[in-house]
Amino acid sequence: MYKAATIKDIARALDVSPSTVSRALRDSHEVGTETKQKVLEYARQINYHYNPAALSLRSRRSYSIGIMVADVANSFFSQTINGIESIAYERGYNVIITQSHDSYEREVINMEHLANRSVDGLLISMSAQTVDYAHVTRLHEQGLPIVFFDRILSDIDTFKVTTDNFRSAYNATEALIKKGYRNIAHLANAPQLSITTERLNGYKAALADNDIPFNENLLRHCYNGGRDEQEVEQAVNSILSAADKPDALFIASDRISTACIRALNQIKGADELAIIGFSNSDVVDLLSPRISYIRQRAFEMGQIAIEMLIKLIESKYPVYEFETKLLEAEVYWQK
Amino acid sequence: MYKAATIKDIARALDVSPSTVSRALRDSHEVGTETKQKVLEYARQINYHYNPAALSLRSRRSYSIGIMVADVANSFFSQTINGIESIAYERGYNVIITQSHDSYEREVINMEHLANRSVDGLLISMSAQTVDYAHVTRLHEQGLPIVFFDRILSDIDTFKVTTDNFRSAYNATEALIKKGYRNIAHLANAPQLSITTERLNGYKAALADNDIPFNENLLRHCYNGGRDEQEVEQAVNSILSAADKPDALFIASDRISTACIRALNQIKGADELAIIGFSNSDVVDLLSPRISYIRQRAFEMGQIAIEMLIKLIESKYPVYEFETKLLEAEVYWQK
DNA sequence: GTGAAAGCGCTAACAC
DNA sequence: GTGTTAGCGCTTTCAC
C-alpha cells in the first residue's frame, strides 16, 4: 500500500529539521527565504500533502462540518448542499451529509454520530417530526457551533438563514386574490416546522389585508410533510369536497406539491383549480396539471449558511451577536 | 469549549493504566472481567467516545469513504447514496460526497481532494466528460481501494456494479417493437460512458433480432448528458424532422428524458410518439407528455457497491478476484 | 534562522 | 492481568 510522504521525509532529504519544514510549509516568517523556497519546491515535487489525522489530533479541529437535511433527493436540499460545498471545499473543509428522512429518531442518532465524529460545526435543517430539541440544545450548550437554515429553531440563539416565508406566502396568496380567486385553500406542512407557521401566517395576512375571512375548512396540515401520499390525497379530497369548494390552492412544500398533483390526476373536474406551490424541482414546469411555483434561493442559502458557520468556527472569541438572514423567493406563474 | 473525555481520564479516575482501559474498551480477553466491567461502566457514565483523529493517526485509516457522482440532485444518484449510507454508517464509516457535475476538471480535483483527505476507499461513477483515466489509474495503482458503480471503467480491474444496461435497453426496445413500432429513435448519452455503449448495443441487438435494420439517422448522442438543454432540443428537432420520421423514442438517461420532454412541449404533432426513457425520478409519472420508464435499482446498487468496497478495505490480504455485478432494471409502461 | 523536545489520544510490543 | 514505553505526523514552545 502507498505510503504518503511526511514532513520528516522532507526534513531528512533536505537535511533540515522537521520544525523548519513545518514552518516553511506554513509560510512562517521565521524561516530563511532560501530554506523556504527549497522546502516548498521539494514538497511540490514529491507531491507532499499534510496528514489530516495528525493535524486534527494536534489542533483539536477536524476540518469537517456536518450537514443535517431531511433528504438529499429533495431538489431544494440538493441545491442547498451544492451551495454549501461550493464554499466549504474552497475553505478547506469537507462536508459530511446526513439525512433525517424527517424522522426524529434518525435526527437524534445522526447528530450524535456527527458530534462523535467530532465535526467542527453543524448545519441543520430540522426534521418535520421533531418537537423535542434536547439533542440540539445539548450540543449547542457544549459549545458546538451550529447554524440553522431553512427549517430553523427560534429557541436556540445562533446564526440562521431561511427564506422570507411570510412574505413569499403573502405575495403568492395576494397575487391569487388579485387574479380574482377568493376561495383559496392552503395545504400546509407539519405544524411544528418554523416554515409552516411563517407560510401560514403570510397566507392569513394576505387574506386579512384583502378582507377575505380565513376559513378553517380550507386549511389542511400534512403531518408527514408529504411523505405519506395517502395523507395528502385525503387532504386534497376532503378539501375539494368541502361545502365552500376552493377555486385556488396554495401548497406549502415541494413534496406536498407533487403528492397533491398525483392526487389531482385521479380527480375529475379539478381543471379550473389554480395551483401554486413552493417548489425547487427542475421539472415542475413539466408537470400536469400545471402548477405555478415559488422558487427559493437554495444555492445562495447554502452559501450563506456555511459562511456563517465558518465565521463561528474560526472566531477567536465567543460570538454573542447573531443574525437571522431572510432571502427573497421568486414566483413563477404558469398557464 | 467542551472537551471530550480521553482514555487517560478514565485511567486516572479508576487508577489503572491507559493500556488497560484501551484493552477493556476494545473488549480484549487479556483484561480481568471485573476491570473490564468497571471501565465499560465508567466510560458509559461519562459518555466517553474515542477520538477519531487519534485513531486515524495510529491506524492509518480514516474510517471515511469518498463518493464521486455526477450530481446529488439526480434521483438515481441520491437513491444510490441512500443505499451507500444505509450500510456505511452501520459499519462505522462516514461518507464524503463529491459531485463532478459531469466535468472532467472537477472530477480530477475532487478525487485529488478525497485522496488527500485520506479516505479509505472510493466509490466512483464516472463523469460524462472524462476520456482520460490517468487520475483514477494513479490512485488505483497506489493501492487505494476503488469500486465503480453505474458508469464503470472496464480498463481498471476491481469490483464493479451496474445495471444490466444491455438487457434493459434490449427489453425496452423489443417491447416497443412488439407493440408495433418500427421507426424507433434513440437519444443516447455521452459516447465515452460505459452505460451509453451498453444501452446502445442493447437497442441495436433488439432491432437486429427483429429484422429491423439499424438506421443511423434515428440515433443522436447528447455529449453533455442532457445538461445542455439546447443540445437535446436540437437532437429532438433534427430527429423528428428526418425523412424517416420515428414513431417511437428510446431515451438513455433521466436528464436527457426531462430535457427531451421539455423540447417536445414546444413541438406540435409529436403526440403519437411513444416514449420510453431511463428514469428514477419520483415524478416521472406526472410528466406531460407521458413517458414510459425504465427504473434502475439504485438503492440496492449503492448497498452492493459499499459492501464491495468495505470488503476490499478490510481484507487482510490483497484481493485479486473481482466481480462485476449486473442488476436488473424494471420497465413501467404508461398511457 | 534553526533545532530539540514534548505532546495531542490512542494502541501494540514488551516487560513483569 | 496489568503497566511501561514508544510512536503514528504534526506544531509549538524554548533554547541557542
Side-chain angles (χ1 to χ4, degrees):
Chain A
M1 170 69 195
Y2 170 75
K3 180 142 173 352
T6 74
I7 280 190
K8 273 191 194 163
D9 296 332
I10 301 181
R12 214 173 303 124
L14 265 40
D15 201 33
V16 291
S17 80
S19 15
T20 304
V21 176
S22 171
R23 282 188 271 250
L25 291 171
R26 303 252 132 233
D27 200 26
S28 154
H29 7 248
E30 26 174 41
V31 192
T33 331
E34 206 178 325
T35 322
K36 194 186 283 183
Q37 284 307 324
K38 215 172 51 177
V39 170
L40 258 33
E41 167 56 21
Y42 185 72
R44 209 192 44 68
Q45 195 183 313
I46 65 167
N47 191 30
Y48 168 81
H49 290 284
Y50 62 83
N51 177 323
L55 223 58
S56 294
L57 183 56
R58 244 205 86 89
S59 64
R60 300 147 168 291
R61 299 260 319 267
S62 66
Y63 296 96
S64 66
I65 66 114
I67 304 183
M68 180 77 176
V69 293
D71 242 307
V72 295
N74 181 311
S75 312
F76 171 78
F77 288 123
S78 59
Q79 290 159 22
T80 319
I81 290 172
N82 287 354
I84 294 170
E85 297 204 317
S86 71
I87 306 279
Y89 277 104
E90 192 175 280
R91 302 284 296 270
Y93 289 86
N94 59 41
V95 148
I96 301 175
I97 301 166
T98 61
Q99 312 180 64
S100 69
H101 299 289
D102 273 331
S103 139
Y104 169 68
E105 282 80 27
R106 304 263 322 234
E107 181 174 281
V108 174
I109 293 172
N110 286 345
M111 282 195 51
E112 202 58 52
H113 215 115
L114 288 173
N116 294 345
R117 287 279 168 178
S118 59
V119 292
D120 293 340
L122 238 38
L123 248 26
I124 305 181
S125 175
M126 300 296 296
S127 121
Q129 256 191 26
T130 303
V131 284
D132 176 4
Y133 313 142
H135 56 297
V136 191
T137 313
R138 218 193 69 237
L139 293 176
H140 182 241
E141 282 172 354
Q142 285 177 0
L144 184 67
I146 293 179
V147 167
F148 292 103
F149 67 98
D150 180 43
R151 300 143 162 218
I152 65 182
L153 228 46
S154 56
D155 289 356
I156 295 184
D157 206 26
T158 183
F159 285 104
K160 294 158 195 171
V161 53
T162 186
T163 294
D164 190 341
N165 290 296
F166 178 90
R167 177 96 353 240
S168 310
Y170 185 100
N171 290 346
T173 310
E174 184 165 60
L176 283 172
I177 297 170
K178 294 273 186 272
K179 283 173 191 280
Y181 298 101
R182 306 283 301 176
N183 279 327
I184 303 170
H186 180 36
L187 273 186
N189 212 326
Q192 52 266 39
L193 290 176
S194 58
I195 54 176
T196 303
T197 317
E198 294 158 16
R199 290 172 191 177
L200 178 57
N201 288 343
Y203 160 80
K204 283 182 176 169
L207 293 181
D209 288 355
N210 288 275
D211 303 316
I212 301 178
F214 167 65
N215 180 349
E216 194 80 52
N217 294 327
L218 293 180
L219 172 67
R220 292 290 182 289
H221 282 283
C222 298
Y223 295 87
N224 288 300
R227 247 156 243 282
D228 178 355
E229 300 229 327
Q230 279 216 308
E231 185 188 47
V232 178
E233 198 181 324
Q234 278 171 17
V236 173
N237 278 326
S238 78
I239 223 167
L240 285 183
S241 57
D244 24 21
K245 201 181 159 191
D247 50 12
L249 189 50
F250 165 46
I251 310 174
S253 93
D254 222 319
R255 236 197 168 90
I256 300 175
S257 293
T258 53
C260 172
I261 285 176
R262 187 163 287 122
L264 287 174
N265 271 310
Q266 315 292 342
I267 299 174
K268 294 260 172 285
D271 301 343
E272 343 65 76
L273 198 65
I275 312 174
I276 184 164
F278 273 85
S279 175
N280 274 54
S281 159
D282 51 356
V283 293
V284 61
D285 58 317
L286 301 177
L287 299 183
S288 154
R290 302 276 277 174
I291 168 176
S292 300
Y293 53 99
I294 304 163
R295 174 145 301 185
Q296 301 181 74
R297 294 159 79 169
F299 187 86
E300 202 181 338
M301 192 183 294
Q303 293 192 310
I304 294 173
I306 181 72
E307 279 182 342
M308 287 172 158
L309 185 62
I310 292 180
K311 194 195 276 183
L312 267 180
I313 292 173
E314 300 189 346
S315 159
K316 297 245 192 321
Y317 309 101
V319 181
Y320 298 112
E321 289 286 302
F322 300 111
E323 187 191 359
T324 295
K325 192 146 189 171
L326 297 184
L327 299 181
E328 296 300 316
E330 237 170 308
V331 179
Y332 294 83
W333 293 99
Q334 288 214 91
K335 191 178 295 182
Chain B
M1 170 71 195
Y2 170 76
K3 179 144 174 352
T6 74
I7 279 190
K8 274 192 193 162
D9 297 330
I10 302 181
R12 213 173 304 126
L14 266 40
D15 202 34
V16 291
S17 81
S19 22
T20 304
V21 176
S22 171
R23 282 189 272 251
L25 291 171
R26 305 250 134 234
D27 200 28
S28 153
H29 10 248
E30 27 173 44
V31 192
T33 330
E34 207 178 323
T35 322
K36 193 186 282 184
Q37 284 307 324
K38 217 172 50 177
V39 170
L40 258 32
E41 166 56 21
Y42 185 72
R44 208 190 44 68
Q45 194 182 312
I46 65 168
N47 192 30
Y48 168 81
H49 288 285
Y50 63 83
N51 178 323
L55 223 58
S56 295
L57 182 57
R58 243 205 87 88
S59 64
R60 299 147 170 292
R61 300 259 320 265
S62 66
Y63 296 96
S64 66
I65 65 113
I67 305 183
M68 180 78 178
V69 293
D71 242 306
V72 295
N74 181 311
S75 310
F76 171 78
F77 288 123
S78 61
Q79 290 159 21
T80 319
I81 290 172
N82 287 354
I84 294 170
E85 295 203 317
S86 71
I87 306 277
Y89 278 104
E90 193 175 280
R91 303 284 295 270
Y93 288 86
N94 57 42
V95 148
I96 302 175
I97 302 166
T98 62
Q99 312 179 64
S100 69
H101 299 289
D102 274 330
S103 139
Y104 168 70
E105 282 80 27
R106 303 261 325 231
E107 181 174 281
V108 174
I109 292 172
N110 287 345
M111 283 194 51
E112 201 59 52
H113 215 116
L114 288 172
N116 294 345
R117 286 280 167 176
S118 58
V119 292
D120 294 340
L122 239 36
L123 249 26
I124 304 180
S125 175
M126 299 297 294
S127 123
Q129 257 191 26
T130 304
V131 284
D132 176 4
Y133 313 141
H135 56 299
V136 190
T137 313
R138 217 194 70 237
L139 293 176
H140 183 241
E141 282 171 354
Q142 285 177 358
L144 184 67
I146 293 179
V147 167
F148 291 103
F149 67 99
D150 179 44
R151 299 146 162 213
I152 65 183
L153 229 46
S154 57
D155 289 356
I156 295 185
D157 206 24
T158 183
F159 285 105
K160 295 159 195 168
V161 52
T162 187
T163 294
D164 190 341
N165 290 297
F166 178 90
R167 177 100 345 246
S168 310
Y170 185 99
N171 290 346
T173 310
E174 183 164 61
L176 283 172
I177 297 170
K178 294 271 185 275
K179 283 173 192 280
Y181 299 99
R182 308 283 301 176
N183 278 327
I184 304 170
H186 181 35
L187 273 186
N189 212 326
Q192 52 266 40
L193 290 175
S194 59
I195 55 176
T196 302
T197 316
E198 293 159 16
R199 291 171 190 176
L200 178 56
N201 288 343
Y203 160 80
K204 282 182 177 170
L207 293 180
D209 288 357
N210 289 274
D211 303 316
I212 301 178
F214 167 65
N215 180 348
E216 194 80 53
N217 294 326
L218 293 179
L219 172 67
R220 293 289 182 288
H221 281 284
C222 299
Y223 294 88
N224 288 300
R227 246 158 242 282
D228 178 355
E229 301 229 329
Q230 280 215 310
E231 185 188 49
V232 178
E233 199 182 322
Q234 277 171 17
V236 173
N237 279 325
S238 79
I239 224 168
L240 285 183
S241 58
D244 25 19
K245 202 180 159 190
D247 50 12
L249 189 51
F250 166 46
I251 310 175
S253 93
D254 222 320
R255 233 192 170 92
I256 300 175
S257 293
T258 53
C260 171
I261 285 176
R262 187 163 286 123
L264 287 175
N265 272 309
Q266 315 291 344
I267 299 175
K268 296 259 173 285
D271 302 342
E272 344 63 79
L273 198 64
I275 313 174
I276 184 163
F278 273 84
S279 176
N280 274 54
S281 159
D282 49 357
V283 293
V284 62
D285 58 318
L286 301 176
L287 299 183
S288 155
R290 302 276 277 174
I291 169 175
S292 298
Y293 52 100
I294 304 163
R295 173 145 300 184
Q296 300 180 73
R297 295 160 79 169
F299 187 87
E300 203 180 339
M301 193 183 293
Q303 293 192 311
I304 294 173
I306 182 70
E307 278 181 341
M308 287 171 159
L309 185 62
I310 292 180
K311 194 195 276 183
L312 267 180
I313 292 173
E314 300 189 346
S315 160
K316 297 246 194 316
Y317 309 100
V319 180
Y320 298 112
E321 288 286 302
F322 301 110
E323 186 191 0
T324 295
K325 193 146 188 170
L326 296 184
L327 299 181
E328 295 300 316
E330 235 169 311
V331 179
Y332 294 85
W333 293 99
Q334 287 213 89
K335 191 179 293 183

